[in-house]
């Protein structure tokens, strides 16, 4: 690979990097190289259409686009139409299926009652444990929904997800635990929701299709960093601890493992997502991908389906970092690396890995658009 004259390189072709590259190419009208160490573009939003069934599979976990941010929605709609899919989640606990997030159907089903919204509010008021300053995840959860719903729907799922008792997790992990006393079972409240009609990979490919953008996959930044010209602007969306040789220590993440199965059945579970609350079920969720595209009747009605079991896992070498462990210790470790990165004016850090944040796709895109605006206004533009 020849890097002579290279002025802009984006490391990582997920949403954050792709959007940033598109802005460099179209707004600044500059040439930009995008590299990714994986053999495909799209980062964790990458999806593949199964050749035999035509079912689109989200390879790094299911992804539903949702936002209430109008400019993000307008931006992303330039590259794809969306099918209007609205996500619904079910959870199995002790052989019984409940609707999530907790809503009136969940409450009535759990307590075996037929309450009205105001009766459900009164019941929850009695059930909530009064804790003024919740010190951990468990205290926060029971202060919001009480012990019964917490132990049935949340506790063991959380143990599996984070590999530790909720008492050991910071209260901040629950930013909000929606509890609805109506029958609204839409997982998200956002105004705009859906799945790109032709999938995320095509959408991301369109973002990256520009005469000023060159994309190279299967290229690891660490294999080529020495060859990058000194005056080249590096937009980096990988993990920061590795970028600085782990000099302050390693950032903690949770990882995931996926087990895929193709089944000769029209419909396996009747919904895209089934969560599992019990500890004796080792996985947390089963995804059934055809449910994301009910509009493609031929595939939706076909006698085959694809499911994927999702297992939480420790993060170690060879595994992907999925969820940052945003406790105080790790956040301050990340801040040290960010400070280091800030010393090098040629490096711009972004994305969920670089920022050590869990961001939904809309937040990722919004953050990339904003970061680009700052970048473009500052001294970074190379003549
Ligand atoms: C299980 C799961 C489910 C999710 N579901 C949803 C959902 O339903 N809805 C939603 O809105 N959001 C969802 N998200 C969030 C969504 O995945 C992120 O918002 C998005 O992927 C972030 O994009 P990114 O570009 O920051 O990071 P990524 O997509 O991770 O892209 C970073 C890229 O950088 C590359 N890279 C890293 N290091 C190097 C290197 N050294 N050299 C070259 N390349 C490198 C990686 O290979 C990767 O391709 C989910 C996240 C997870 C973990």
């Amino acid at each position: 690979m020849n890097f002579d004259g290279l002025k802009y390189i984006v490391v990582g072709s997920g949403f954050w990097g792709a959007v940033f590259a598109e802005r460099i190419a179209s707004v600044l009208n500059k040439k930009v190289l995008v590299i990714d160490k994986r053999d495909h573009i799209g980062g964790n939003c990458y999806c593949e259409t199964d050749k035999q069934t035509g079912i689109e599979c989200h390879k790094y976990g299911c992804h539903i686009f949702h936002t209430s941010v109008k400019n993000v929605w307008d931006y992303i709609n330039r590259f794809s139409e969306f099918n209007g899919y609205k996500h619904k989640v079910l959870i199995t606990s002790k052989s019984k299926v409940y609707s999530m997030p907790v809503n009136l159907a969940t409450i009535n089903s759990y307590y075996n009652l037929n309450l009205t919204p105001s009766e459900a509010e009164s019941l929850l008021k009695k059930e909530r444990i009064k804790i003024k300053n919740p010190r951990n995840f468990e205290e926060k959860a029971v202060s919001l929904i009480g012990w019964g719903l917490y132990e049935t729907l949340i506790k063991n799922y959380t143990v599996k997800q984070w590999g530790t008792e909720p008492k050991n997790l910071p209260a901040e992990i629950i930013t909000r635990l929606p509890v609805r006393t109506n029958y609204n079972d839409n997982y998200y409240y956002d105004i705009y929701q859906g799945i790109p009609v032709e999938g995320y990979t095509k959408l991301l490919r369109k973002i990256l299709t520009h005469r000023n953008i060159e994309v190279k996959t299967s290229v690891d930044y660490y294999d080529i960093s020495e060859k990058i010209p000194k005056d080249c602007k590096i937009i980096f969306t990988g993990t920061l601890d590795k970028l600085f040789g782990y000099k302050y220590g390693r950032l903690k993440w949770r990882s995931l493992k996926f087990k895929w199965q193709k089944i000769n059945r029209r419909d396996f579970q009747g919904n895209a997502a089934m969560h599992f609350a019990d500890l004796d079920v080792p996985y947390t969720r089963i995804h059934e991908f055809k449910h994301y595209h009910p509009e493609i009747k031929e595939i939706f009605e076909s006698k085959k389906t694809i499911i994927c079991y999702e297992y939480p896992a420790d993060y170690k070498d060879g595994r992907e970092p999925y969820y940052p462990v945003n406790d105080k210790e790790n956040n301050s470790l990340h801040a040290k690396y960010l400070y280091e990165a800030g010393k090098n004016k040629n490096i711009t850090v972004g994305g969920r890995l670089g920022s050590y944040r869990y961001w939904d796709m809309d937040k990722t895109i919004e953050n990339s658009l904003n970061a680009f605006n700052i970048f473009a206004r500052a001294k970074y533009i190379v003549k």
Side-chain angles (χ1 to χ4, degrees):
M1 247 161 89
N2 183 5
F3 296 95
D4 290 349
L6 184 67
K7 300 288 186 209
Y8 298 93
I9 183 168
V10 174
V11 180
S13 64
F15 262 118
W16 204 96
V19 168
F20 208 101
E22 185 277 328
R23 298 282 82 192
I24 293 175
S26 54
V27 179
L28 302 184
N29 194 19
K30 302 281 184 188
K31 297 227 175 286
V32 51
L33 172 66
V34 178
I35 60 163
D36 204 296
K37 64 180 178 182
R38 294 177 180 167
D39 64 359
H40 59 74
I41 61 157
N44 276 7
C45 301
Y46 171 73
C47 57
E48 244 173 42
T49 307
D50 176 70
K51 284 197 178 72
Q52 194 193 5
T53 60
I55 296 170
E56 185 193 86
C57 301
H58 304 186
K59 285 298 185 186
Y60 300 89
C62 76
H63 279 76
I64 301 103
F65 197 89
H66 58 97
T67 189
S68 295
V69 184
K70 176 88 168 56
N71 74 314
V72 168
W73 184 243
D74 290 344
Y75 175 83
I76 207 68
N77 272 266
R78 287 169 43 199
F79 305 99
S80 176
E81 273 182 61
F82 285 75
N83 69 356
Y85 168 86
K86 288 208 167 60
H87 199 43
K88 295 192 191 295
V89 168
L90 299 170
I91 187 163
T92 302
S93 175
K94 299 186 183 64
S95 311
K96 197 166 168 182
V97 175
Y98 300 91
S99 169
M100 286 295 267
V102 174
N103 61 69
L104 193 47
T106 323
I107 296 166
N108 279 337
S109 178
Y110 174 71
Y111 290 101
N112 209 11
L113 294 167
N114 276 318
L115 302 176
T116 63
S118 54
E119 288 168 344
E121 270 159 32
S122 308
L123 179 138
L124 282 174
K125 215 171 161 187
K126 279 188 224 142
E127 293 288 295
R128 286 185 186 120
I129 308 298
K130 285 182 189 59
I131 302 174
K132 216 171 172 194
N133 295 310
R135 287 166 305 174
N136 57 52
F137 182 105
E138 182 160 286
E139 289 189 357
K140 178 97 178 265
V142 296
S143 73
L144 294 168
I145 56 171
W147 282 105
L149 287 166
Y150 164 70
E151 289 196 317
T152 306
L153 304 174
I154 310 288
K155 185 177 177 182
N156 292 337
Y157 187 89
T158 308
V159 170
K160 292 196 282 185
Q161 172 92 350
W162 292 99
T164 184
E165 287 292 323
K167 271 187 247 168
N168 304 329
L169 293 168
E172 303 87 69
I173 289 190
I174 314 181
T175 43
R176 93 202 154 94
L177 192 57
V179 184
R180 302 171 187 164
T181 49
N182 56 34
Y183 286 107
N184 180 3
D185 61 353
N186 286 334
Y187 201 67
Y188 303 112
Y189 271 124
D190 286 313
I191 307 169
Y192 312 107
Q193 301 185 31
I195 308 281
V197 286
E198 291 188 288
Y200 290 99
T201 307
K202 281 206 177 147
L203 188 166
L204 277 138
R205 190 164 298 127
K206 275 204 184 153
I207 296 178
L208 289 167
T209 302
H210 192 285
R211 64 191 153 78
N212 285 338
I213 301 179
E214 187 185 1
V215 180
K216 297 265 182 217
T217 51
S218 304
V219 177
D220 195 318
Y221 171 73
Y222 299 106
D223 295 335
I224 56 133
S225 59
E226 295 295 314
K227 298 181 199 152
I228 297 173
K230 294 281 169 275
D231 62 344
C232 178
K233 302 295 170 199
I234 301 164
I235 292 92
F236 186 82
T237 73
T239 51
L240 289 193
D241 51 358
K242 185 163 182 188
L243 185 65
F244 293 104
Y246 306 104
K247 65 193 249 192
Y248 299 123
R250 283 174 190 258
L251 289 164
K252 257 199 199 165
W253 296 82
R254 280 296 276 168
S255 190
L256 295 172
K257 287 189 286 181
F258 298 106
K259 206 171 92 193
W260 296 80
Q261 225 177 335
K262 203 178 286 182
I263 297 171
N264 289 324
R265 209 182 297 173
R266 191 179 65 81
D267 193 347
F268 178 76
Q269 61 185 14
N271 197 41
M274 178 66 80
H275 293 201
F276 292 86
D278 298 328
L279 274 184
D280 55 357
V281 179
Y283 40 86
T284 45
R285 317 196 254 188
I286 298 179
H287 308 285
E288 187 172 11
F289 290 94
K290 61 159 48 174
H291 289 286
Y292 290 122
H293 288 283
E295 79 281 8
I296 315 177
K297 293 278 174 270
E298 206 184 299
I299 295 171
F300 193 68
E301 298 298 340
S302 86
K303 297 247 165 11
K304 285 192 191 306
T305 191
I306 295 181
I307 60 166
C308 172
Y309 296 84
E310 181 176 318
Y311 299 79
D314 290 333
Y315 172 55
K316 47 189 179 194
D317 285 342
R319 288 207 181 130
E320 293 290 338
Y322 279 101
Y323 296 104
V325 180
N326 286 120
D327 56 16
K328 283 194 185 100
E329 194 186 325
N330 282 282
N331 284 344
S332 59
L333 182 56
H334 176 257
K336 282 188 188 172
Y337 285 123
L338 210 52
Y339 180 73
E340 283 292 318
K343 288 185 199 163
N344 184 341
K345 294 293 169 219
N346 277 346
I347 291 189
T348 297
V349 171
R352 64 172 195 106
L353 296 169
S355 308
Y356 196 57
R357 280 280 168 272
Y358 177 87
W359 284 335
D360 277 332
M361 290 178 276
D362 66 329
K363 181 84 185 138
T364 300
I365 294 166
E366 186 182 32
N367 188 276
S368 180
L369 291 170
N370 291 340
F372 170 79
N373 288 339
I374 294 167
F375 179 91
R377 262 188 259 119
K379 51 200 169 292
Y380 303 124
I381 300 165
V382 184
K383 296 271 182 272

